[in-house]
């Protein structure tokens, strides 16, 4: 029947394709030279060609557009040409009233194709290259029509009639004259309201044709039809009732609007459907859990019902469950996908070498399963499955899958807390373990990264190579490279990280944008560009000068300006990730300004192509910068906006930043109960139920120790910090160890054991030098100066020298708290120095204290602010300035009272528990 949905793998003639063929005949009419009628300029002619090219390549939907949608898109031509094309298209469609009309139409379509049979061509004659995209499309339409039986031609006629009738019924009244044609009436005449006789004759014709087909094969209506049947058909044709009979047996236009496949819905080509599914997968990856779960699942089920042989639908349902944290649905659909398609459909991997098993790709199924375990927080199961995928990739000689699997293992080892891989990782792909050398997890990670990068470069997998360069940059950022072997001659080496190597890897990754073309399929570039081009047809051009100068005189012109870039979104996403990694690198190295600049570049230039988690991370880095340099008021206002914008990631990174800011503000205000409550929430986030995130676990323990320190529980704080140091040492988290050692020095300083704190401060300085942690080194230097100052006034000059040595870094890149601490320590060094006279140069002490008190009030840091005002009052007392002393003392009492009686303001962000 007419409403049968054709499978996406078979190219079938549909009413929409007939409409495109009619427009192709307008674009390249036979036996016309120069600019053909009705075009007045070459520009108008090229516009229609570009429109047809985009129409046959776009994949904005799985169903072909209806006639009214096509007419709406044609309005982008602009001017009077739009009405002429609409009238011509509808009149041609309505003129197709019999199978002979269809046969004559497709016979005429052969005339617009070039080739040896086209004869002598004029130099400026418009003709369609048969090997071009539009030429191939037209050839496929002609071939598909030639394969139709007589019944198939009748079905096509019925579909065309309903296709036109639905467009006329849905168009506004003032546009109806442009779609109507008095010579082609779609309504059934009154004398043919009773169609029982005609239906009986038509069914008899159909039965005899089907019997003939069963007996002797296919019967084409224009070549092999018997004379009796031809006579019956001619009788119906001359009576004008064949089309009405087809309409009588076909559902009405209202039924066509129903998503039921019997309603005349036609799927697009396999190429377009695959492109649409790829676009939905990219959108799902970008938006994450904010992507509509139920609507997308309903669409996938409908597509699976209409085209059950399209197994990639199961893979999209797996991704839908994965990003919406539905483990059961994701596991079920990934098994279905590989059970039905053997992992062959929908992957762009390079095919394995000849001679291997091509009946299935078990290694790819293992790779997807391992990534699913990694996503749901099961690192050990993921590592076991990925290790098995490595072995099967080697057995099947699938080097591409092996390269991707090694990259996944590298990502797993770098993101999760696995202290030992003994008994999990094999030794068949590690050249060092073969000779009996045991490697740590970090050394194995380095070997795997190098191996994966080399494989990706050899296989010319540009995107994977760029991703591996980013992974290498991240590894070099936090690890000191040591020799992997412990024998033989050793060259002298400095145990330090190399920022040069980090910048080198980031630069190599960014060069991908100029080399992506060799790995990008036409589906990704042409289809995405055509889809975006069609969507932008109705958008007004930004420049009114172009509209005024256009020959058509219409503002509804084609959107040739500001079209989207043809660079694939995955490539731009990698480039954006490099800017995020740059921001992280500059944060570690201590350059706050460059970190803010790179985060701002990502948030400004890559929000449309990056995933929601990456975009949220860029926003969070900017919010952290606000909190450090502007105070909590601006930071909380920006955080509220980010929480509303990124609802899908509110459970992870945004919630973590909320807790971090609330904890910092609670400690500064002296609200230890709220600080401990926040620590408990961080402990819940860091639990092993949702997977072990070592960074989150370290953050929770670090803040717990700081809370105990603020409560003057020194022994408990030292125990927590010592346990955290052991954990970081076990997992080779040396950058975090620098902060833990500095915290231990702070604990001993506040407990009055300055001598015990000196070794920890010096050890923290050593770690900061090895890992180029310049800003943390300045903070450790400040703590070391305070420890020396605690040993007595004899060490005041040494402490002051340390403070002045750290001032360039602190004043250039430090935040409000670090700057205020430096000013207070400097003032204390001057006041502790016996050789310093407050009467000779009081401003040397008062100016730093004044700046410190101003910056601490922005942070609401009551303890340090009280100390600053106390020192100020003491200086004024020595100078005999009683009024200034009383003002400073009043401010001191104010901060002490606020510290002893903390009160929470009405802030909606505090209601998160």
């Amino acid at each position: 029947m007419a409403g049968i949905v054709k499978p996406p793998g078979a190219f079938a003639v549909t009413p929409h394709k007939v409409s495109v063929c009619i427009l192709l005949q307008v674009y390249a009419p036979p036996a016309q030279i120069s600019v053909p009628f009705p075009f007045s300029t070459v520009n108008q002619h090229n516009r229609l060609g570009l429109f047809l090219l985009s129409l046959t390549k776009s994949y904005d939907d799985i169903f072909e557009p209806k006639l009214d949608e096509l007419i709406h898109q044609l309005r982008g031509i602009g001017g009077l040409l739009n009405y002429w094309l609409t009238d011509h298209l509808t009149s041609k469609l309505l003129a197709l009233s019999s199978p002979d009309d269809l046969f004559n139409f497709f016979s005429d379509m052969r005339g617009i194709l070039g080739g040896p049979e086209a004869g002598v061509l004029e130099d400026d004659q418009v003709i369609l290259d048969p090997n071009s995209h539009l030429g191939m499309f037209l050839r496929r339409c002609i071939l598909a029509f030639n394969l139709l039986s007589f019944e198939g031609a009748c079905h096509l006629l019925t579909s065309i009639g309903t296709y036109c009738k639905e467009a006329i019924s849905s168009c506004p009244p003032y546009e109806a004259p442009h779609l109507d044609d008095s010579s082609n009436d779609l309504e059934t005449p009154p004398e043919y309201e009773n169609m029982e006789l005609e239906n009986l004759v038509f069914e008899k014709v159909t039965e005899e044709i089907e019997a003939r087909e069963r007996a002797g094969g296919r019967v084409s209506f224009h070549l092999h039809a018997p004379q009796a049947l031809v006579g019956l058909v001619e009788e119906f044709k001359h009576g004008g009732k064949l089309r009405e009979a087809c309409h009588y047996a076909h559902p009405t236009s209202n039924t066509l609007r129903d998503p039921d496949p019997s309603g005349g819905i036609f799927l697009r080509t396999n190429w377009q459907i695959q492109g649409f599914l790829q676009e939905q997968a990219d959108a799902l990856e970008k938006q994450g859990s904010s992507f509509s779960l139920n609507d997308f699942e309903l669409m996938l089920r409908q597509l699976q019902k209409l085209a059950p042989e399209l197994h990639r639908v199961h893979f999209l349902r797996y991704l839908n469950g994965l990003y919406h944290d539905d483990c059961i649905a994701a596991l079920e659909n990934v098994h279905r996908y590989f059970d039905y398609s053997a992992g062959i459909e929908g992957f762009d991997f390079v095919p394995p070498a000849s001679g291997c098993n091509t009946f299935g790709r078990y290694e790819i199924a293992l790779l997807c399963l391992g990534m699913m375990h990694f996503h749901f927080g099961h690192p050990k199961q993921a590592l076991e499955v990925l290790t098995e995928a490595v072995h099967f990739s080697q057995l099947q000689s699938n080097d591409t899958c092996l390269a991707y699997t090694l990259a996944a293992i590298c990502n797993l080892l770098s993101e999760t807390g696995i202290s030992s891989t003994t008994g999990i990782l094999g030794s068949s792909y590690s050249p060092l373990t073969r000779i009996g050398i045991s490697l740590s997890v970090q050394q194995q990670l380095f070997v795997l990264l190098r191996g994966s990068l080399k494989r990706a470069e050899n296989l010319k997998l540009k995107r994977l190579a760029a991703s591996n360069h980013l992974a290498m940059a991240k590894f070099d950022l936090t690890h000191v490279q040591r020799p992997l072997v412990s024998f033989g001659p050793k060259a002298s080496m400095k145990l330090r990280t190399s920022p040069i190597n980090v910048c080198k890897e980031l630069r190599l990754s960014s060069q991908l944008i100029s080399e992506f073309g060799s790995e990008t399929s036409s589906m990704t570039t042409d289809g995405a560009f055509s889809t975006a081009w069609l969507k932008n047809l109705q958008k007004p051009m930004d420049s009114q000068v172009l509209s005024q100068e256009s020959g058509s005189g219409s503002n509804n012109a084609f959107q040739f300006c500001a079209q989207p870039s043809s660079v694939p979104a995955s490539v731009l996403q990698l480039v954006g990730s490099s800017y995020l990694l740059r921001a992280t690198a500059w944060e570690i190295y201590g350059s706050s300004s460059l970190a803010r600049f790179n985060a701002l570049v990502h948030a400004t230039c890559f929000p449309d192509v990056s995933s929601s988690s990456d975009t949220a991370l860029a926003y969070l880095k900017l919010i952290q910068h606000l909190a450090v340099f502007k105070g909590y008021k601006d930071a909380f206002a920006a955080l509220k906006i980010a929480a509303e914008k990124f609802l899908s990631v509110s459970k992870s990174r945004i919630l973590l930043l909320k807790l971090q800011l609330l904890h910092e503000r609670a400690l500064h205000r002296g609200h230890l109960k709220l600080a401990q409550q926040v620590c408990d929430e961080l402990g819940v986030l860091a639990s092993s139920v949702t997977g072990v995130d070592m960074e989150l676990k370290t953050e929770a323990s670090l803040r717990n120790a700081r809370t105990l320190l603020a409560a003057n529980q020194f022994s408990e704080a030292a125990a927590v910090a010592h346990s955290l140091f052991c954990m970081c040492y076990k997992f080779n988290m040396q950058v975090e160890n620098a902060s833990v050692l500095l915290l231990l020095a702070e604990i001993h300083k506040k407990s009055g054991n300055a001598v015990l704190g000196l070794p920890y401060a010096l050890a923290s300085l050593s770690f900061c030098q090895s890992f180029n942690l310049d800003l943390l080194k300045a903070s450790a230097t400040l703590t070391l100066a305070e420890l020396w100052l605690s040993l007595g006034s004899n060490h005041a000059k040494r402490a002051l020298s340390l403070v002045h040595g750290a001032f360039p870094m602190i004043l250039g890149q430090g935040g409000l708290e670090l700057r205020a601490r430096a000013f207070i320590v400097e003032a204390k060094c001057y006041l502790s120095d016996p050789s310093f006279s407050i009467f000779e140069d009081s401003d040397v002490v008062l100016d730093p204290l004044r700046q410190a008190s101003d910056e601490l009030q922005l942070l609401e840091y009551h303890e340090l602010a009280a100390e600053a005002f106390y020192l100020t009052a003491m200086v004024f007392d020595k100078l005999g300035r009683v009024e200034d002393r009383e003002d400073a003392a009043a401010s001191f009492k104010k901060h002490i009272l606020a510290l002893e009686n903390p009160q929470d303001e009405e802030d909606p962000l505090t209601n998160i528990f």
Side-chain angles (χ1 to χ4, degrees):
M1 59 183 300
I4 295 177
V5 178
K6 298 297 182 181
F11 190 92
V13 183
T14 61
H16 172 69
K17 293 185 178 68
V18 174
S19 299
V20 176
C21 290
I22 293 173
L23 294 176
L24 277 174
Q25 199 173 31
V26 175
Y27 173 71
Q32 287 198 25
I33 60 175
S34 186
V35 179
F37 178 81
F39 306 102
S40 58
T41 62
V42 177
N43 187 23
Q44 284 185 344
H45 184 249
N46 292 337
R47 287 179 182 180
L48 180 61
L50 187 58
F51 171 77
L52 294 174
L53 189 66
S54 300
L55 196 64
T56 54
K57 285 188 174 183
S58 65
Y59 43 69
D60 54 333
D61 197 0
I62 59 175
F63 300 115
E64 291 183 343
K66 299 178 181 179
L67 181 57
D68 55 344
E69 297 172 354
L70 179 61
I71 292 174
H72 182 74
Q73 291 175 332
L74 273 174
R75 293 174 183 170
I77 300 296
L80 299 176
L81 186 60
N82 165 39
Y83 298 108
W84 188 93
L85 288 175
T86 301
D87 290 338
H88 180 78
L89 176 62
T90 53
S91 62
K92 281 286 188 180
L93 287 172
L94 295 173
L96 299 175
S97 58
S98 67
D100 281 345
D101 293 335
L102 282 175
F103 175 70
N104 294 331
F105 170 75
F106 281 100
S107 298
D108 295 339
M109 293 303 299
R110 295 190 183 96
I112 69 175
L113 288 173
E117 66 279 1
V120 180
L121 301 178
E122 300 291 338
D123 292 338
D124 54 353
Q125 182 175 351
V126 179
I127 200 161
L128 206 60
D129 185 359
N131 295 322
S132 65
H133 178 79
L134 293 178
M136 292 293 295
F137 174 84
L138 182 57
R139 290 166 61 189
R140 295 183 70 184
C141 289
I142 295 173
L143 177 61
F145 177 76
N146 289 337
L147 295 177
L148 284 179
S149 62
F150 173 72
E151 184 185 20
C154 293
H155 290 166
L156 179 58
L157 279 175
T158 304
S159 301
I160 293 175
T162 311
Y163 177 72
C164 299
K165 186 175 182 179
E166 184 182 24
I168 294 176
S169 62
S170 62
C171 70
Y174 59 84
E175 292 184 359
H178 296 288
L179 300 178
D180 199 5
D181 192 343
S182 58
S183 63
N184 294 278
D185 190 8
L186 285 178
E187 299 295 332
T188 305
E191 60 269 20
Y192 293 114
E193 289 183 358
N194 187 356
M195 297 291 295
E196 294 182 0
L197 179 61
E198 287 83 1
N199 287 333
L200 179 63
V201 176
F202 183 76
E203 290 174 2
K204 182 66 176 177
V205 172
T206 304
E207 290 176 1
E208 293 189 17
I209 293 177
E210 290 177 352
R212 176 66 178 266
E213 287 180 343
R214 287 192 296 268
R218 299 176 63 89
V219 178
S220 177
F221 72 93
H222 57 272
L223 292 179
H224 308 290
Q227 291 297 326
L229 297 182
V230 172
L232 288 174
V233 173
E234 288 296 319
E235 181 180 348
F236 269 87
K237 184 181 70 173
H238 293 313
K241 305 181 187 64
L242 178 60
R243 187 155 49 93
E244 286 79 3
C246 294
H247 278 294
Y248 188 82
H250 191 269
T252 61
S253 59
N254 294 329
T255 310
L256 281 174
R257 300 180 185 275
D258 193 272
D260 185 12
S262 63
I265 297 176
F266 293 94
L267 290 175
R268 295 199 174 191
T269 62
N270 183 42
W271 188 90
Q272 290 176 304
I273 292 179
Q274 294 286 357
F276 175 80
L277 294 179
Q278 180 65 43
E279 186 182 56
Q280 296 303 306
D282 294 340
L284 186 60
E285 179 184 4
K286 177 181 180 296
Q287 301 178 20
S289 57
S290 64
F291 200 84
S292 177
L293 171 65
N294 296 329
D295 293 343
F296 189 52
E297 182 70 18
L298 182 63
M299 188 275 293
L300 291 177
R301 289 181 179 178
Q302 182 183 5
L303 181 58
Q304 184 179 350
K305 180 180 179 181
L306 299 178
E309 69 284 347
L310 193 64
H311 304 306
R312 195 173 185 180
V313 175
H314 296 294
F315 190 77
L316 267 295
R317 295 182 67 183
Y318 152 72
L319 292 179
N320 198 27
L322 185 72
Y323 286 106
H324 288 89
D325 296 330
D326 191 346
C327 183
I328 298 178
L331 183 62
E332 179 183 359
N333 283 286
V334 75
H335 280 297
R336 284 182 177 178
Y337 172 71
F338 285 99
D339 287 344
Y340 293 153
S341 70
I344 296 177
E345 178 189 289
F347 280 95
D348 297 329
F349 287 164
V350 177
S354 59
C356 67
N357 180 20
T358 58
F359 295 101
R361 294 184 180 179
Y362 182 61
E363 63 275 11
I364 300 180
L366 291 173
L367 175 59
C368 293
L369 186 61
M371 295 305 297
M372 187 196 72
H373 281 302
F374 175 47
H375 177 84
F376 288 114
H378 311 141
K380 289 189 176 180
Q381 293 94 321
L383 191 56
E384 291 175 357
V385 173
L386 292 175
T387 303
E388 188 177 358
V390 169
H391 298 321
F392 273 92
S393 298
Q394 292 175 329
L395 290 176
Q396 301 297 332
S397 300
N398 194 339
D399 294 332
T400 304
C401 184
L402 179 60
Y404 278 96
T405 306
L406 292 179
I409 293 176
C410 294
N411 188 30
L412 173 64
L413 294 179
S414 62
E415 295 291 337
T416 59
I418 298 178
S419 60
S420 176
T421 57
T422 304
I424 301 178
L425 284 178
S427 60
S428 59
Y429 54 89
S430 178
L432 293 172
T433 54
R434 294 175 186 173
I435 59 178
I437 299 176
S438 61
L439 301 178
S440 66
V441 174
Q442 303 303 324
Q443 288 173 324
Q444 289 184 2
L445 175 58
F446 177 76
V447 173
L448 289 172
L449 279 173
R450 286 297 181 189
S452 179
L453 178 59
K454 184 177 180 180
R455 288 180 181 275
E457 290 176 345
N458 292 337
L459 295 171
K460 300 185 183 304
L461 302 175
K462 301 294 184 181
R463 303 181 197 182
L464 182 60
S467 179
N468 284 334
H469 279 300
L470 291 180
M472 283 300 304
K474 187 176 181 180
F475 182 88
D476 291 337
L477 185 62
T478 57
H479 294 87
V480 175
Q481 295 187 10
R482 293 182 174 88
L484 297 178
V485 294
S486 58
F487 56 86
K490 296 181 181 178
S492 60
M493 61 178 298
K494 295 180 180 180
L495 296 178
R496 301 188 62 170
T497 58
S498 177
I500 296 178
N501 288 343
V502 174
C503 295
K504 177 184 176 182
E505 297 292 345
L506 289 172
R507 185 179 179 184
L508 290 174
S509 174
S510 299
Q511 291 178 354
L512 164 76
I513 196 169
S514 61
E515 302 176 359
F516 73 92
S518 60
E519 195 186 346
T520 304
S521 64
S522 59
M523 180 188 299
T524 305
T525 54
D526 297 347
F529 189 81
S530 299
T531 303
W533 193 88
L534 285 177
K535 289 180 180 179
N536 289 337
L537 276 180
Q538 301 303 320
K539 294 182 180 180
M541 301 176 69
D542 295 332
S543 175
Q544 296 183 0
V545 177
L546 293 178
S547 299
Q548 293 173 359
E549 294 178 355
S550 60
S552 62
S554 173
N555 292 331
N556 192 15
F558 261 57
Q559 180 82 1
F560 286 107
C561 302
Q563 286 294 337
S565 172
S566 60
V567 179
S570 58
V571 175
L572 294 177
Q573 185 177 3
L574 276 176
V575 178
S577 299
S578 68
Y579 280 97
L580 271 184
L581 189 55
R582 283 187 178 94
T584 303
W586 287 120
E587 283 179 357
I588 293 177
Y589 291 148
S591 179
S592 302
S593 57
L594 288 176
R596 175 179 174 272
F597 170 76
N598 284 280
L600 195 59
V601 168
H602 185 280
T604 305
C605 301
F606 301 96
D608 296 332
V609 294
S610 297
S611 63
S612 56
S613 60
D614 284 350
T615 307
L617 179 59
Y619 275 77
L620 297 185
K621 288 182 180 295
L622 296 173
I623 294 173
Q624 285 176 327
H625 188 274
L626 275 178
V628 173
F629 288 90
K630 299 294 183 181
Y632 297 113
K633 184 178 180 180
D634 294 342
F636 277 127
L639 184 60
K640 184 177 181 180
I641 297 174
E644 295 173 354
K645 182 178 179 63
F646 302 102
L647 295 176
S648 61
V649 292
S650 59
K651 296 185 297 182
S652 53
R653 288 178 175 171
I654 290 183
L655 178 58
L656 177 60
L657 182 59
K658 284 182 182 180
L659 295 173
Q660 288 173 337
L661 294 182
L662 285 174
H663 184 263
E664 289 289 340
R665 190 176 66 172
L667 288 183
H668 289 169
R669 289 179 172 181
H671 197 169
L672 301 183
K673 182 179 179 181
L674 177 60
Q676 186 58 49
Q677 196 176 2
V678 173
C679 286
D680 295 339
E681 290 294 325
L682 284 172
V684 172
L685 289 180
S687 65
S688 59
V689 176
T690 57
V692 182
D693 188 338
M694 296 307 300
E695 293 183 3
L696 184 56
K697 191 173 183 179
T698 304
E699 180 75 13
S701 299
L702 197 63
R703 292 190 175 273
N704 187 26
R706 289 183 57 195
T707 305
L708 294 172
L709 175 61
N712 294 328
Q713 300 179 17
F714 303 117
S715 59
E716 292 85 353
V720 173
H722 184 268
S723 175
L724 179 58
F725 177 82
C726 295
M727 185 191 72
C728 293
Y729 183 82
K730 177 182 179 181
F731 292 100
N732 199 26
M733 302 170 65
Q734 305 301 341
V735 174
E736 288 77 7
N737 263 340
S739 300
V740 177
L741 289 170
L742 185 57
L743 176 61
L744 285 169
E746 291 280 350
I747 293 173
H748 288 293
K749 181 193 73 174
K750 293 194 69 173
S751 64
N753 297 320
V755 176
L756 294 178
L758 283 173
Y760 292 108
L762 292 172
S764 179
L765 276 174
S766 177
F767 273 93
C768 292
Q769 290 176 353
S770 298
F771 293 94
N772 296 284
L773 311 176
D774 294 341
L775 192 59
L776 188 60
K777 178 184 175 183
S779 180
T781 303
L782 202 58
T783 301
L784 184 62
E786 291 180 287
L787 289 171
W788 281 115
L789 194 60
S790 301
L791 295 177
S793 59
N794 296 332
H795 303 282
K797 290 187 180 295
R798 175 182 293 180
L800 185 61
S801 176
L802 289 172
V803 172
H804 286 168
F807 256 155
M809 189 66 192
I810 293 176
L811 298 181
Q813 305 295 337
L816 296 176
E817 180 181 351
L818 187 57
R819 288 162 57 93
R821 277 187 58 205
F823 288 137
I824 293 175
V825 174
E826 182 191 22
K828 291 169 67 175
C829 289
Y830 280 119
L831 294 175
S832 301
D833 189 359
S835 62
F836 177 76
S837 175
I838 192 66
F839 301 99
E840 295 179 0
D841 195 0
S842 61
D843 291 338
V844 174
V845 178
L846 290 176
D847 286 344
L849 291 175
R850 189 178 298 110
Q851 294 184 47
S853 60
D854 292 341
E855 293 177 350
L856 289 171
Q857 289 187 72
L858 289 175
L859 286 175
E860 304 175 75
Y861 199 163
H862 297 313
E863 183 179 359
L864 272 184
E867 184 178 3
F869 282 114
Y870 174 80
L871 294 175
T872 304
M874 187 176 64
V875 173
F876 284 142
D877 183 65
K878 289 182 179 181
L879 294 175
R881 297 165 59 176
V882 180
E883 186 177 353
D884 293 334
R885 182 196 66 187
E886 294 302 323
D887 292 340
S891 299
F892 167 75
K893 292 179 182 179
K894 175 185 176 182
H895 285 285
I896 290 297
L897 290 176
L899 194 63
E900 293 177 351
N901 302 297
Q903 293 181 357
D904 286 333
E905 297 178 359
E906 298 259 341
D907 193 333
L909 289 176
T910 59
N911 300 324
I912 62 174
F913 302 111

